[in-house]
Amino acid sequence: MNKIRSGAILCLLFLSMAFQSVAHFKDAVAVWNFKSLDDKTKENSRLSAYGNVLFVKMNSSDAQASRVRGGDGVSAQFNGGWLAAGDGANNELALAGKTASFLIRVKPNNIKGFVPLIGKDGNAQSVAYRVALYEENGNVFVEALIGNDHVTGAHQLKYKLPKETINEWHDIVFRFNGKIAQLYVNGVLGDQEVVVGEIRDWNQKPFLIGAQLSSQAGYATLADKDVAFKFDGLMDHVVIWNRYITDKELQEYSGVKELTDGRPTYYGEKYRPQFHFSARRNGLNDPNGLVYYNGVYHLFFQHWGFPYRPVNNKDWGHAISTDLIHWQQTDDHITPHKIWGGAWSGSAVVDENNVAGFQTDKEKPIIAFITNIGAGDTVIGGRFTQCIAYSTDGGKTFTYYDQNPIIRNISDGNRDPKVVWDEGSQKWIMSLFMKDNDYAIFSSANLKEWQHLETLKLEGVSECPGFEPFAVDGDSTHIKWIFFGANGNYIIGSFDGKYFTPETSAQRGDYGSSFYAAQTWSNAPDGRSLHIAWMASQQYPDMPFSQQMTFPTEMTLRTTKSGIKAFRLPVREIANLYDKTWSWNDRSLTKGADLFKELTDELYDIDIEIDVKTSSLVEMKLRNVILSYDVAKQTLSLGGSITSPGIPAFLMAGTPNYAPLNLVDGKIKLRILLDRTSVEIFGNDGEMVMTSCYMPEQDERNYSLTANSDIHVVRGVVNSLKPAWLK
């Protein structure tokens, strides 16, 4: 009796294990456990095999781990082959809607470059979903993409595998619920992003396992010559759901007792700027949509790499601050509409009087002006049109105006709309880059309908216009307008509400190698003109981010002996970061003496005035940066490990890191901000500015201020700075 009962129990256990994959993966639309090419669900999306794919029994320990997770102890061994299932037996692999989950249990062998696992894939415009591995600089990442039918491109999640585990078994789960997408590896949350909307449902590619087709469009023929990448290794099972699996299920499929959060902790990396804004990860460039509302500064910016798409098809990342110093990147961003080629640079304003009619409650609308670069002649309004999106919740979310574009294409490449209020004409004024050195000016009473006023040529100025009024020397009865471009060059003149009359030639706005696409905040408090730019540089090694912003400055117009000029100085809020202070007054330095020998920190704000009449050369060493002043030539030069600018040389304003700095009664004034990878120099109260990035050497913290003859320090204050990132 006991033997019979034991045999029955063993039989039941055997049957339970045999059918476990179907019951265990509840409601799955496809389950491949690789005992055969069959899908274990009712629809049976049977696979077709191409090349060398074998089904092999696992060893005892791997088989046991497989069964615990719902597998059957058999795996597919990929040796240059791959599998395909088309759209599924009943089109079930062409997922649509707002929910989906994917499970892949995999053991990779050789990982070089891109290695696909599963996907219904296309180019960045048509990918529906994909999970892959890829190698970069010796590191191996799990990548998951999901295409969203509301935006161009695809949202990317990624997780770096610990090096010692790369060739082990990995349980990869990628799930999406219409609001967020999550990537889990072995029960560890590796990445998470806001993804609002539905899965892209117009992908025409077949579902593949272990390969990706090289053709970017259409339903390519299935042949080995059409495959660009292949997987090398073992797969235990692949499962797909059209629902968001639960945490409990995720634990079971990963073989863990609890889920953990393994997302990286950003802003402590070796080369991370400590008081200049940089994105959590991936790249940034032009600042966009700078607006101040209800005590919050909003910094939107060109963001590439997220969502995943070609570099031209960017979105607007978003960060907020209450003091211009401590920034927090939000999960909210402005993504280009699905018919757009990308959300290129633009500006934003607060519609205090609701002239556009978008206000729905107490919140004043924030209206963003965005260049849609288009995707061909079929795009409404053509390529390079100007569109708007509006927010009625304080900048958290934006809605596209249903009558876009507000300005259709005028000439090839017109872009970068900057909108400001003109008190004189009581109109909104837009400046718009056209091509070469040409700009257009428009006016509007309601922010939706725009009248073209004029097109003008501004030699020495190119792209990303800034156009706004200033009270010269703070005198509200003496108003001049400044027109500046991406390279920092500017022209000062008069504007009567219809026409801009230049009154100067182009003046150099920045002499560094890392300054581009500056913009000012709309609606800034206290009437200040607050200014920030993209600090372009090379990529720092092994960093999750690329590029940074300049430190915010206040721009003013002042009268000088050579006419009215623009001045820039760091915003006063930098004092919020001050830590230790060194100061000197009326201090003589003999030849070879060093004023900075006691400095050993990393971040500094240096403010110093030096009488150099009795010297011919003054030199300042700031870590790997050498700053030199030639007294006879009255020029300042920057050397040392300065990085390449990261933008084409022809777009720069001139020879970088070399600037005139006139003596004033035999003295020079220098204000210097030194961050971990950047230096910003403000000469003679901000009349000359030099913005550059540099490559620091590890633990190099040597500083000096010396001269080849005696000099006199009239006054000097050095403040070390605390990191600005909120912990």
Side-chain angles (χ1 to χ4, degrees):
M1 182 72 177
N2 290 338
K3 289 183 179 180
I4 295 174
R5 182 176 297 173
S6 298
I9 292 172
L10 287 172
C11 183
L12 288 172
L13 286 172
F14 176 80
L15 290 172
S16 174
M17 288 172 62
F19 292 99
Q20 187 177 23
S21 60
V22 179
H24 194 75
F25 301 122
K26 182 182 177 183
D27 300 332
V29 299
V31 177
W32 295 284
N33 64 1
F34 301 126
K35 268 194 172 181
S36 68
L37 294 172
D38 285 332
D39 166 14
K40 298 303 179 183
T41 65
K42 182 178 180 180
E43 288 80 8
N44 191 10
S45 296
R46 181 177 168 84
L47 297 167
S48 298
Y50 297 82
N52 190 354
V53 182
L54 303 175
F55 300 140
V56 297
K57 290 184 178 180
M58 300 180 185
N59 62 40
S60 58
S61 60
D62 284 349
Q64 182 179 2
S66 169
R67 293 185 178 104
V68 167
R69 292 160 172 79
D72 56 9
V74 176
S75 63
Q77 181 176 310
F78 292 77
N79 301 296
W82 44 283
L83 305 170
D87 283 332
N90 194 28
N91 209 43
E92 69 273 14
L93 303 182
L95 299 175
K98 295 184 177 181
T99 56
S101 299
F102 309 90
L103 166 65
I104 309 101
R105 179 164 169 77
V106 62
K107 185 178 184 180
N109 288 334
N110 187 35
I111 303 173
K112 292 294 182 184
F114 177 76
V115 179
L117 298 178
I118 66 166
K120 193 156 176 35
D121 209 351
N123 61 11
Q125 308 304 321
S126 63
V127 59
Y129 51 84
R130 181 174 80 195
V131 180
L133 304 171
Y134 69 92
E135 179 269 336
E136 185 177 74
N137 298 324
N139 296 311
V140 174
F141 296 85
V142 180
E143 174 194 72
L145 297 181
I146 190 158
N148 186 321
D149 204 30
H150 293 204
V151 301
T152 62
H155 298 264
Q156 179 198 45
L157 287 78
K158 62 182 181 181
Y159 171 72
K160 185 169 77 172
L161 291 175
K163 288 192 175 182
E164 65 275 10
T165 71
I166 289 173
N167 299 118
E168 297 178 1
W169 282 104
H170 299 288
D171 299 288
I172 301 171
V173 174
F174 180 36
R175 62 180 183 174
F176 166 65
N177 66 2
K179 296 180 181 179
I180 60 170
Q182 293 180 319
L183 173 62
Y184 279 85
V185 180
N186 303 323
V188 177
L189 177 60
D191 202 357
Q192 174 176 298
E193 292 292 357
V194 172
V195 183
V196 177
E198 299 185 355
I199 302 169
R200 178 167 293 117
D201 61 1
W202 41 270
N203 181 284
Q204 297 299 307
K205 295 265 192 162
F207 175 82
L208 300 186
I209 299 177
Q212 181 176 319
L213 296 175
S214 54
S215 175
Q216 292 190 334
Y219 196 107
T221 57
L222 291 177
D224 201 58
K225 64 181 177 61
D226 300 311
V227 172
F229 308 98
K230 297 178 183 177
F231 169 67
D232 175 15
L234 299 173
M235 283 194 196
D236 183 0
H237 45 256
V238 172
V239 187
I240 300 176
W241 294 265
N242 59 5
R243 65 180 177 87
Y244 186 78
I245 64 172
T246 67
D247 286 359
K248 183 178 180 181
E249 289 173 305
L250 204 160
Q251 288 174 237
E252 292 177 4
Y253 305 149
S254 302
V256 297
K257 293 182 179 180
E258 61 179 1
L259 303 176
T260 57
D261 191 339
R263 287 175 291 176
T265 302
Y266 297 107
Y267 295 106
E269 301 90 348
K270 178 178 179 180
Y271 297 115
R272 176 73 72 170
Q274 293 299 289
F275 62 96
H276 290 74
F277 177 76
S278 56
R280 268 195 304 259
R281 66 180 197 182
N282 299 317
L284 63 74
N285 52 292
D286 305 1
N288 295 154
L290 307 182
V291 68
Y292 177 81
Y293 179 69
N294 275 359
V296 176
Y297 295 94
H298 294 263
L299 167 61
F300 292 93
F301 53 91
Q302 289 284 278
H303 199 195
W304 36 276
F306 164 64
Y308 182 89
R309 54 171 70 102
V311 70
N312 284 342
N313 296 343
K314 302 171 188 174
D315 71 346
W316 284 21
H318 187 197
I320 57 174
S321 173
T322 58
D323 65 356
L324 293 168
I325 308 298
H326 300 89
W327 293 98
Q328 181 177 9
Q329 186 175 340
T330 73
D331 291 329
D332 307 307
H333 47 91
I334 301 178
T335 54
H337 190 275
K338 63 183 177 180
I339 65 170
W340 295 14
W344 277 25
S345 290
S347 59
V349 300
V350 179
D351 185 6
E352 293 282 1
N353 298 315
N354 194 32
V355 297
F358 294 134
Q359 187 168 342
T360 58
D361 203 349
K362 294 180 180 179
E363 297 279 6
K364 299 297 181 183
I366 297 174
I367 302 178
F369 298 83
I370 304 166
T371 294
N372 164 22
I373 69 163
D377 295 335
T378 58
V379 175
I380 298 172
R383 296 198 69 203
F384 288 100
T385 61
Q386 313 316 311
C387 300
I388 58 177
Y390 59 91
S391 173
T392 57
D393 59 6
K396 295 183 181 67
T397 61
F398 282 79
T399 302
Y400 300 109
Y401 178 42
D402 60 7
Q403 299 299 311
N404 278 327
I406 55 169
I407 298 179
R408 291 175 177 265
N409 181 267
I410 302 169
S411 66
D412 182 49
N414 46 210
R415 57 188 182 272
D416 311 330
K418 171 62 175 173
V419 176
V420 299
W421 174 252
D422 175 30
E423 191 66 30
S425 65
Q426 292 290 292
K427 293 285 183 68
W428 294 97
I429 303 298
M430 177 193 293
S431 51
L432 186 69
F433 173 71
M434 305 304 287
K435 62 178 181 178
D436 300 326
N437 302 116
D438 293 343
Y439 292 84
I441 299 177
F442 301 82
S443 70
S444 175
N446 63 8
L447 293 167
K448 296 186 292 188
E449 299 166 308
W450 293 86
Q451 177 187 1
H452 178 244
L453 300 178
E454 68 169 331
T455 298
L456 63 159
K457 184 178 290 292
L458 299 172
E459 296 294 342
V461 180
S462 181
E463 296 192 308
C464 303
F467 183 52
E468 62 181 285
F470 281 82
V472 180
D473 300 320
D475 182 358
S476 60
T477 66
H478 187 195
I479 301 296
K480 293 294 179 183
W481 285 67
I482 186 171
F483 209 128
F484 60 83
N487 60 12
N489 285 3
Y490 65 91
I491 291 170
I492 296 171
S494 298
F495 180 64
D496 63 2
K498 292 185 178 180
Y499 303 105
F500 174 66
T501 303
E503 296 171 356
T504 70
S505 59
Q507 307 293 308
R508 186 86 173 261
D510 197 285
Y511 289 84
S513 59
S514 303
F515 178 94
Y516 205 74
Q519 196 174 119
T520 55
W521 264 273
S522 173
N523 215 37
D526 305 325
R528 293 191 292 171
S529 179
L530 302 174
H531 177 281
I532 199 169
W534 164 33
M535 189 177 283
S537 70
Q538 67 183 29
Q539 173 67 40
Y540 293 99
D542 300 323
M543 291 295 102
F545 68 95
S546 179
Q547 315 299 308
Q548 60 185 293
M549 294 297 179
T550 62
F551 189 79
T553 58
E554 181 177 356
M555 177 183 281
T556 56
L557 292 189
R558 304 185 198 177
T559 304
T560 71
K561 291 180 180 179
S562 55
I564 300 173
K565 288 188 175 182
F567 286 67
R568 286 192 291 120
L569 283 172
V571 295
R572 58 179 177 255
E573 287 87 346
I574 193 173
N576 295 342
L577 297 178
Y578 286 171
D579 190 9
K580 293 177 286 187
T581 302
W582 296 260
S583 61
W584 306 271
N585 286 292
D586 196 23
R587 175 80 170 266
S588 294
L589 280 183
T590 58
K591 178 181 177 181
D594 180 8
L595 190 67
F596 291 168
K597 62 183 179 181
E598 295 180 5
L599 303 184
T600 58
D601 290 326
E602 186 178 29
L603 317 173
Y604 285 107
D605 179 358
I606 299 170
D607 191 0
I608 195 164
E609 182 178 5
I610 310 171
D611 188 323
V612 298
K613 288 192 291 287
T614 60
S615 181
S616 60
L617 179 67
V618 178
E619 189 171 272
M620 191 179 296
K621 186 178 188 299
L622 307 169
R623 298 192 70 183
N624 305 110
V625 174
I626 305 296
L627 184 63
S628 302
Y629 183 71
D630 188 313
V631 178
K633 294 180 180 179
Q634 298 188 55
T635 56
L636 192 73
S637 59
L638 189 63
S641 55
I642 303 301
T643 69
S644 57
I647 52 178
F650 71 90
L651 292 175
M652 300 296 288
T655 303
N657 305 315
Y658 184 84
L661 185 64
N662 295 329
L663 291 169
V664 179
D665 298 327
K667 306 179 186 71
I668 57 170
K669 294 180 182 179
L670 294 173
R671 179 81 180 275
I672 301 167
L673 300 186
L674 183 72
D675 203 338
R676 187 171 287 175
T677 58
S678 67
V679 58
E680 292 169 282
I681 303 160
F682 305 86
N684 290 347
D685 298 317
E687 183 179 1
M688 183 284 302
V689 185
M690 187 183 289
T691 303
S692 293
C693 292
Y694 70 96
M695 183 68 195
E697 294 179 7
Q698 191 170 8
D699 299 325
E700 168 61 63
R701 295 192 185 182
N702 292 322
Y703 304 90
S704 63
L705 172 60
T706 59
N708 65 351
S709 297
D710 295 352
I711 58 174
H712 189 77
V713 177
V714 179
R715 59 167 187 84
V717 179
V718 176
N719 285 286
S720 64
L721 304 178
K722 296 172 288 188
W725 299 116
L726 298 172
K727 301 297 183 181

